[in-house]
Amino acid sequence: MAETSFHGKVAVITGGASGIGAALARQLAQAGAKVVLADRQLDLAERIASEICAAGGSATALELDVRDLPQTLRVVRATVEQLGSLDYFFNNAGIGVGGEIDGYAAADWDDVIDVNLRGVTYGIQAAYPVMIAQGSGHIVNTASVAGLLAVAGEGSYGATKHAVVGLSKVLRMEAKRHGVRVSVLCPGAIRTPILTGGKFGRMNYEGLTDEAVLKMWARVRPMDVDVFARKALTAIGKNEALIIIPSWWKALWYLERLSPSLSSRLWERMSASLRADMESAGARPVSRRG
């Protein structure tokens, strides 16, 4: 990562209190950026900000529920007033509800759509006009490889992440004439709390333990979150449009583009294998039928 790309820049990171958000904050601060950790877990965000400052970086924490547009506008306004500009806005906050669609309650759809999609649109609504006025800035939206591939058990998550990818591609085209850059992150499996649902997400399976979930994830070799953040920021510094990390997930994306039917068969087999693993672990999907 070229430190000169971020030195002295101001970066707001939603969901900055944990996982990918916290890792991005640490790496940006090491590169000389002034970071604002915006999260509804304010105590945790303040702790991460204190650790960054103790290590010689510049970080502040602000409370933010990305489902609330006025809060998002206040965070952007406070950042510009206190730090003078808004160079990077990371729409990173996200949650997951794992489970098959026949096990969803209406609240499962609402929770995931409100954070993963509406939260991103609110971030754009708040940050984009500031960047247009500046004639510069970079919006980075966190999607997922689940926004490029169809993965059983991730219906709501995949739907929102597909939407974030599409939104990012359109915004990148439109924003170019304003001098504003847009990138979308598509992480594969990264070692963060979201693997087991995270603070605000959940797994709609009966009898499923976090230990069993992590054992299943181990098959796809989750990447260390700090390694991910370094690689992601290197790509962002190069203004890459679509950033897939770990890079081996690109092979599955290429297969999806070249042969959607073959890709579907592959994921159907993987889903059947996953279901068998869960059943052997004593877990079964929640069903709300009948």
Side-chain angles (χ1 to χ4, degrees):
M1 180 179 65
E3 293 190 5
T4 54
S5 299
F6 302 101
H7 186 77
K9 302 298 185 180
V10 175
V12 173
I13 307 168
T14 72
S18 64
I20 287 174
L24 287 169
R26 289 191 292 267
Q27 296 293 332
L28 282 163
Q30 287 179 18
K34 303 170 187 177
V35 297
V36 177
L37 287 72
D39 202 296
R40 51 177 155 164
Q41 299 181 82
L42 181 58
D43 290 346
L44 184 54
E46 289 176 336
R47 190 187 318 158
I48 299 295
S50 295
E51 292 172 358
I52 289 172
C53 291
S58 173
T60 56
L62 293 174
E63 187 171 11
L64 173 62
D65 184 336
V66 298
R67 300 171 299 177
D68 188 314
L69 177 57
Q71 280 191 38
T72 310
L73 290 166
R74 284 196 296 271
V75 164
V76 168
R77 184 166 57 250
T79 298
V80 174
E81 289 175 353
Q82 295 169 19
L83 300 176
S85 66
L86 180 62
D87 301 299
Y88 291 89
F89 193 92
F90 289 81
N91 274 310
N92 173 76
I95 66 169
V97 173
E100 298 190 8
I101 291 171
D102 67 345
Y104 279 20
D108 295 330
W109 291 107
D110 292 343
D111 288 349
V112 176
I113 291 170
D114 283 350
V115 174
N116 293 3
L117 182 54
R118 198 181 308 277
V120 171
T121 65
Y122 285 171
I124 293 168
Q125 196 76 19
Y128 191 33
V130 173
M131 293 181 176
I132 290 175
Q134 292 175 165
S136 65
H138 199 147
I139 294 172
V140 182
N141 299 324
T142 299
S144 167
V145 293
L148 303 171
L149 306 165
V151 182
E154 296 188 359
S156 60
Y157 187 79
T160 57
K161 296 305 185 179
H162 271 77
V164 170
V165 171
L167 170 59
S168 301
K169 291 164 75 173
V170 171
L171 184 61
R172 183 177 173 94
M173 287 188 286
E174 294 182 356
K176 186 175 181 180
R177 72 185 183 91
H178 298 296
V180 178
R181 297 177 170 185
V182 178
S183 298
V184 59
L185 294 177
C186 291
I190 310 298
R191 203 171 296 121
T192 71
I194 204 170
L195 293 182
T196 54
K199 171 71 174 177
F200 300 104
R202 52 198 169 273
M203 303 291 286
N204 280 341
Y205 292 91
E206 296 174 348
L208 184 63
T209 65
D210 287 353
E211 181 182 10
V213 172
L214 292 174
K215 185 177 180 181
M216 292 174 206
W217 275 114
R219 287 184 173 185
V220 292
R221 307 190 306 277
M223 176 179 276
D224 177 82
V225 69
D226 291 314
V227 173
F228 169 83
R230 285 195 297 272
K231 291 179 178 291
L233 290 174
T234 296
I236 291 165
K238 296 176 181 177
N239 190 30
E240 293 185 15
L242 180 67
I243 301 167
I244 302 173
I245 302 171
S247 58
W248 68 266
W249 284 88
K250 290 180 182 178
L252 296 174
W253 177 54
Y254 292 151
L255 177 61
E256 173 75 12
R257 297 168 71 194
L258 292 170
S259 180
S261 59
L262 180 58
S263 178
S264 292
R265 289 197 296 272
L266 172 64
W267 283 101
E268 285 169 5
R269 290 181 182 179
M270 292 175 68
S271 298
S273 176
L274 178 62
R275 181 186 280 270
D277 286 345
M278 288 192 172
E279 290 175 351
S280 67
R284 58 192 177 89
V286 169
S287 178
R288 301 184 194 275
R289 289 175 294 180

